[in-house]
Amino acid sequence: MNKVVLSADAAVADIASGATVMLGGFGLCGIPETLIAALVRLGVQGLHTISNNMGVDGFGMGLMLEAGMIASHVGSYVGENRRLETMVLQGQLDLTLIPQGTLAERIRAGGAGIPAFYVPTGLGTVVAEGKETRQIGERMYVLEHALHADVALVKAWKGDRLGNLVYRKTARNFNPAMATAADLTIAEVEELVEPGELDPDQIVTPGIYVDRVVVGAAYRKPIEAEFIRSGGAA
Amino acid sequence: MSGKERIARRIALELRDGFYVNLGIGLPTMITAFVPAGMDVTFQSENGMLGVGPAPAAGAADPDLINAGKQPVTELPGCSYFGSEESFAMIRGGHMDMSVLGAMQVDEAGNLANWTIPGKMVKGMGGAMDLVAGARRVIVAMEHQTKEGASRILKACTLPLTGTHVVHDIVTELCWIRVSAEGLVLTEVAEGLTPQEVQARTEAKLIVSPEVRTMAMVGA
């Protein structure tokens, strides 16, 4: 078995306009830089993206936003992304904000065959509006549904041709959960190793979840706080 | 000493040996500098880390190692990494002893608003809704009034809520307020202030505790 695709452009070539795409990362940490660049080159339109953040102006998913290829977005945080905030306030982008933990669990559920589940999060807020609530024991809970995507683009540290992945430090974040929750999962890795080189006890994403592996190159990995402070020059 | 630092130093007094604590972005993160000597407190960062250490030396930042505020941090011995789903399982599952977070508004019912101003600002709730729903103790750390001098502690929040009946304590540079079934109880006031002076800067009704005392703080 060999899931390695030689170029990022080839790996994303069959992603269609209008697809629902999950993208791993927290801020600019652990984002699939190489696959995002390839997706922007591919030039698809009307994507429905699911990602905790949406990069910043000039980097990460911010580049997809600038390319006008995103029709709607589901995430938990806008933070310092000025373009995104402006587009949302002006009604140019359909943004759904959901609690970060609920986002993570909805993705996990999507990959785990759990259609819906109850959480206490968001009870009595706009997040719970229109959703079923139920008392279990002494507490009220909100019913949340699983999230699934056509494509997940994830970033790992090391991987092998079977799709086994390990992550590095806090660059793990949403990547392992998203890898399980899409019809097509494409992983970019910093380093491709031979099967058997990764300690089986340390593998975080078993290869069954991964369809394609791409080796990324020329990582910039800007630190978001510094990138914003320097006006994008970091 | 700034008001924010006084708040951080006061909340640090609530830490206990063995606590697992999540600190929000901004002011709450300042508390890490005031952990009492010899006390073992483990800080969690919701992007997937337990055992968060201080900021790295200049030039030593690792872009794969950041906190929830997207600032570079370091590892402490015994730290661990995990995915976002695991991070929030430990938050939602009641494993965090304490969550300290900022707010735009808090009210008499212990409701909290801190993620959006309709038509003006879209920040996002991030992990705040999960934290207030799951942490054993929720402390709001914020400046008492807005830059324009308006009270942030209201009879009822006017902004979209982050959680309802979730706040246990409110700490500002002026006072400590405990949220109770009867309402907001003023338990401590900053040195040089009277309870009446604090009430005058607060929209919500404050019940002055019979044991009201001067605010203490770490290292002061």
Side-chain angles (χ1 to χ4, degrees):
Chain A
M1 198 182 319
N2 186 2
K3 297 179 179 178
V4 176
V5 177
L6 289 178
S7 80
D9 292 290
V12 303
D14 55 354
I15 296 177
S17 286
T20 299
V21 184
M22 288 180 180
L23 294 104
F26 181 95
L28 300 179
C29 182
I31 61 171
E33 290 184 26
T34 311
L35 292 169
I36 288 171
L39 204 54
V40 171
R41 284 195 295 272
L42 183 65
V44 285
Q45 299 287 316
L47 297 179
H48 302 283
T49 54
I50 301 170
S51 182
N52 187 57
N53 311 83
M54 205 191 256
V56 295
D57 295 347
F59 203 74
M61 284 181 71
L63 300 173
M64 296 172 64
L65 202 59
E66 284 156 33
M69 58 202 296
I70 298 175
S72 75
H73 179 68
V74 173
S76 87
Y77 199 67
V78 173
E80 311 306 316
N81 193 323
R82 292 285 159 254
R83 180 185 296 264
L84 175 58
E85 183 171 33
T86 304
M87 286 178 77
V88 170
L89 288 172
Q90 294 177 351
Q92 295 168 350
L93 184 88
D94 173 15
L95 172 73
T96 305
L97 287 169
I98 58 181
Q100 194 173 144
T102 297
L103 175 64
E105 191 62 16
R106 288 177 67 185
I107 295 165
R108 194 193 78 81
I114 298 170
F117 53 90
Y118 287 99
V119 288
T121 312
L123 192 74
T125 74
V126 293
V127 164
E129 280 176 10
K131 291 177 183 165
E132 182 185 326
T133 56
R134 178 174 170 176
Q135 183 167 347
I136 301 174
E138 308 225 310
R139 209 168 168 188
M140 289 297 293
Y141 295 89
V142 182
L143 185 69
E144 294 284 0
H145 286 79
L147 277 172
H148 202 270
D150 299 314
V151 184
L153 304 181
V154 303
K155 158 71 175 51
W157 180 30
K158 295 179 185 179
D160 62 26
R161 61 178 164 79
L162 307 178
N164 294 308
L165 305 175
V166 297
Y167 303 86
R168 187 169 178 275
K169 303 183 189 288
T170 56
R172 183 184 309 194
N173 54 64
F174 282 85
N175 287 296
M178 287 181 171
T180 70
D183 292 336
L184 171 67
T185 294
I186 309 174
E188 66 170 87
V189 300
E190 291 184 45
E191 192 181 333
L192 185 69
V193 300
E194 287 300 313
E197 276 188 51
L198 299 175
D199 179 348
D201 273 330
Q202 308 297 327
I203 289 170
V204 176
T205 296
I208 189 170
Y209 296 116
V210 178
D211 300 290
R212 297 172 190 168
V213 176
V214 172
V215 181
Y219 280 98
R220 284 183 64 193
K221 292 192 186 179
I223 292 173
E224 181 167 326
E226 294 170 7
F227 189 82
I228 291 170
R229 220 172 15 247
S230 68
Chain B
M1 190 188 302
S2 72
K4 287 181 179 181
E5 183 176 334
R6 285 208 299 274
I7 296 167
R9 285 177 181 269
R10 174 58 190 89
I11 294 173
L13 283 180
E14 302 298 301
L15 299 172
R16 296 292 177 270
D17 204 43
F19 263 22
Y20 292 92
V21 177
N22 181 290
L23 300 176
I25 297 168
L27 196 169
T29 302
M30 293 171 66
I31 294 168
T32 56
F34 305 114
V35 179
M39 189 181 285
D40 208 355
V41 175
T42 304
F43 291 107
Q44 195 248 22
S45 194
E46 64 264 31
N47 53 319
M49 183 182 192
L50 271 170
V52 179
D62 180 341
D64 289 339
L65 180 45
I66 61 166
N67 64 15
K70 287 109 182 177
Q71 298 160 317
V73 292
T74 53
E75 299 177 335
L76 291 178
C79 78
S80 56
Y81 298 110
F82 32 84
S84 302
E85 74 293 355
E86 172 93 43
S87 180
F88 282 94
M90 72 181 68
I91 288 169
R92 199 188 306 104
H95 304 279
M96 304 308 301
D97 293 292
M98 187 188 286
S99 164
V100 183
L101 66 177
M104 298 174 189
Q105 298 179 341
V106 194
D107 70 22
E108 292 180 0
N111 299 328
L112 160 73
N114 74 351
W115 66 279
T116 188
I117 302 173
K120 283 189 185 162
M121 188 199 79
V122 189
K123 183 160 151 283
M125 64 288 282
M129 287 192 178
D130 311 276
L131 282 158
V132 299
R136 291 183 197 162
R137 186 178 183 195
V138 175
I139 300 178
V140 165
M142 63 176 190
E143 291 177 293
H144 201 88
Q145 293 163 297
T146 65
K147 287 187 179 72
E148 293 75 35
S151 175
R152 294 176 191 268
I153 305 170
L154 307 174
K155 291 185 188 307
C157 291
T158 57
L159 295 173
L161 296 177
T162 305
T164 54
H165 310 289
V166 291
V167 177
H168 297 106
D169 298 278
I170 305 162
V171 189
T172 76
E173 74 282 15
L174 303 185
C175 64
W176 187 290
I177 293 168
R178 182 167 50 80
V179 182
S180 77
E182 289 71 43
L184 301 181
V185 181
L186 183 66
T187 59
E188 297 177 26
V189 297
E191 199 168 320
L193 282 180
T194 65
Q196 293 69 30
E197 285 168 326
V198 173
Q199 176 68 76
R201 296 186 210 180
T202 311
E203 183 199 287
K205 179 178 165 28
L206 302 179
I207 303 163
V208 181
S209 163
E211 285 98 44
V212 67
R213 56 194 171 91
T214 301
M215 262 174 108
M217 58 185 96
V218 163

